[in-house]
Amino acid sequence: MATDFLPINGTDHIEFYVGNAKQSALFYHYAFGFEMVAYAGPETGVRDRASYVLRQNKITLVLTTSLHPDSEISEHVKKHGDGVKVLALWVDDATKSFQETVVRGAEPAFEPKVLKDEFGEVVVSAIKTYGETIHTFVERSRYKGPFLPGYKARSSGVKAEPIGLKYVDHCVGNVELGKMNHWVDFYEKVMGFSLLVTFDDKDISTEYSALMSKVVSNGNGYIKFPINEPASGKKKSQIEEYLDFYKSAGVQHIAIATDDIIHTVGELRRRGVEFLYVPETYYEDVLDRVGTINENLEELKKLNILIDRDEEGYLLQIFTKPIQDRPTVFFEIIERNGAKSFGKGNFKALFESIEREQELRGNL
Ligand code: FE2
């Protein structure tokens, strides 16, 4: 096997550009149980923006807002609403990662640069991917600070109550009609990923709408990026609705792994997070499809958690409603019991649920 020209240790962080980072930070703190660990803004000498860094186990979120109308951040928020700007990848060599991908055709977002403060140094570089999203490569082996140089340690006054969120399982991109294969090629050729699985409209169409999806993964499998494009149906697909409101391709959902989905989802619900709803009939024959599971079906039903099985095991999953007013980005909570797949058996029930929501929004 050829050596991996882009070794990746994992997801470094995910940065959202938002309209009001201070309030978003409180949402992730209270509802999702993320602890604030660092901050950059006027009080730390950064004049044009405020960024809050929140962490739970291996997941680091950065919430950034502009302090001025004329900035790349403000333009991003004006066009897309709150959304994911950066899917940052943790690498051992950010300079080489940049060179290897750019020589294979990646469009640079910014050249490698060294950031320093009293805690050491970090090398960062970045390339563009779908829409206005970028991949930042972060090399942090010589750094001991709370996040990145320029950020100061900061905690919130109230301690967060974590809910068992462990790591980023996968991040899904929605791209324009006809562009899925282009971006799959990009991840294969430019980033050295390989194609894991393909879903076509026969797998995942409902009466109204459909989508096509391919999943790419890096060499060690730590990074998984499903890429969706709309497929034609009788009415507007959920991917088209996303593209209409995000105004370009972009990140559709971030799936976060937990070891105890009943606890995690119970807490999220108690704290006010809303989820997609599947009807009770889903549970009538689900065990015929997925076989024996360790969890109590009644508990799963009460929380509306979905179940699927593949050759290697089963998984439990649930999807939040969009986390901002535009019907764009949402979260998935997933617990894997051996299964390495993405819940194909639940697609139909889920998409019917999404269509009910689209109908309520007048977008079907
Ligand atoms: Fe997913």
Side-chain angles (χ1 to χ4, degrees):
M1 194 179 135
T3 53
D4 189 352
F5 65 81
L6 183 60
I8 300 172
N9 301 321
T11 304
D12 191 89
H13 63 272
I14 298 172
E15 182 170 14
F16 289 78
Y17 282 177
V18 298
N20 187 335
K22 182 179 269 191
Q23 290 191 6
S24 295
L26 211 56
F27 171 75
Y28 287 103
H29 174 96
Y30 274 107
F32 282 75
F34 280 83
E35 193 71 70
M36 193 186 301
V37 295
Y39 169 79
E43 300 86 344
T44 69
V46 175
R47 305 305 305 169
D48 65 338
R49 65 181 69 193
S51 295
Y52 297 78
V53 183
L54 293 102
R55 188 168 291 148
Q56 188 166 170
N57 292 309
K58 290 184 176 169
I59 313 148
T60 303
L61 302 181
V62 184
L63 305 161
T64 294
T65 206
S66 176
L67 301 180
H68 303 290
D70 302 317
S71 74
E72 166 245 341
I73 300 161
S74 289
E75 289 303 320
H76 198 277
V77 172
K78 180 182 174 189
K79 180 174 179 184
H80 304 290
D82 289 5
V84 173
K85 175 64 187 183
V86 184
L87 290 173
L89 304 170
W90 173 29
V91 298
D92 290 332
D93 189 336
T95 306
K96 182 167 177 287
S97 300
F98 181 85
Q99 289 163 347
E100 295 280 0
T101 50
V102 168
V103 80
R104 288 172 171 82
E107 208 184 316
F110 58 83
E111 304 258 331
K113 58 186 174 189
V114 182
L115 309 173
K116 289 183 188 180
D117 68 9
E118 70 266 36
F119 298 108
E121 64 174 55
V122 173
V123 186
V124 289
S125 62
I127 59 170
K128 297 180 180 179
T129 179
Y130 48 77
E132 290 195 89
T133 319
I134 66 170
H135 288 308
T136 301
F137 300 117
V138 183
E139 172 188 337
R140 53 169 68 257
S141 57
R142 291 175 303 287
Y143 193 65
K144 298 268 187 290
F147 179 53
L148 290 175
Y151 287 79
K152 298 278 184 266
R154 174 166 167 176
S155 54
S156 53
V158 180
K159 209 153 170 41
E161 292 175 43
I163 57 169
L165 301 178
K166 296 284 187 209
Y167 58 88
V168 175
D169 186 275
H170 59 277
C171 292
V172 182
N174 280 345
V175 302
E176 301 86 348
L177 182 64
K179 287 291 171 70
M180 177 180 68
N181 285 328
H182 167 84
W183 288 108
V184 168
D185 280 354
F186 167 86
Y187 282 105
E188 288 182 328
K189 293 194 180 116
V190 173
M191 296 186 68
F193 285 32
S194 44
L195 183 65
L196 271 190
V197 58
T198 301
F199 305 106
D200 64 21
D201 51 358
K202 282 181 288 301
D203 291 321
I204 46 185
S205 66
T206 62
E207 187 187 355
Y208 290 142
S209 63
L211 64 82
M212 315 257 270
S213 189
K214 288 185 177 178
V215 184
V216 291
S217 172
N218 78 318
N220 61 16
Y222 291 175
I223 305 294
K224 293 190 274 294
F225 290 151
I227 307 289
N228 297 332
E229 76 171 39
S232 56
K234 276 193 209 161
K235 294 199 178 179
K236 184 184 283 188
S237 82
Q238 52 167 305
I239 312 302
E240 283 176 88
E241 187 197 34
Y242 174 101
L243 296 169
D244 282 356
F245 282 85
Y246 201 72
K247 302 294 176 193
S248 78
V251 171
Q252 179 209 38
H253 75 264
I254 298 161
I256 298 184
T258 172
D259 292 336
D260 184 354
I261 196 167
I262 290 174
H263 168 70
T264 299
V265 173
E267 277 298 309
L268 287 167
R269 286 193 182 280
R270 194 176 66 77
R271 300 173 190 199
V273 175
E274 296 183 308
F275 293 91
L276 287 178
Y277 168 77
V278 295
E280 291 201 349
T281 49
Y282 171 89
Y283 294 92
E284 283 170 10
D285 56 359
V286 68
L287 293 185
D288 301 338
R289 180 164 62 81
V290 303
T292 312
I293 56 170
N294 301 329
E295 291 72 16
N296 179 326
L297 187 66
E298 280 308 308
E299 278 192 282
L300 297 175
K301 182 176 168 182
K302 205 167 70 192
L303 294 167
N304 219 233
I305 293 165
L306 307 178
I307 314 152
D308 197 25
R309 182 178 286 278
D310 63 22
E311 304 73 40
E312 294 171 271
Y314 71 94
L315 62 82
L316 304 166
Q317 64 183 170
I318 192 167
F319 297 83
T320 71
K321 291 187 182 179
I323 48 154
Q324 59 291 303
D325 290 294
R326 294 196 202 189
T328 53
V329 188
F330 58 89
F331 281 92
E332 172 182 352
I333 307 296
I334 184 166
E335 178 179 341
R336 294 186 179 279
N337 256 289
K340 295 207 177 72
S341 52
F342 297 86
K344 174 177 154 180
N346 291 321
F347 285 173
K348 190 166 163 42
L350 270 172
F351 295 165
E352 284 169 356
S353 172
I354 292 172
E355 282 162 15
R356 286 193 293 276
E357 299 284 322
Q358 277 181 263
E359 182 133 51
L360 288 172
R361 293 190 283 260
N363 294 331
L364 189 61

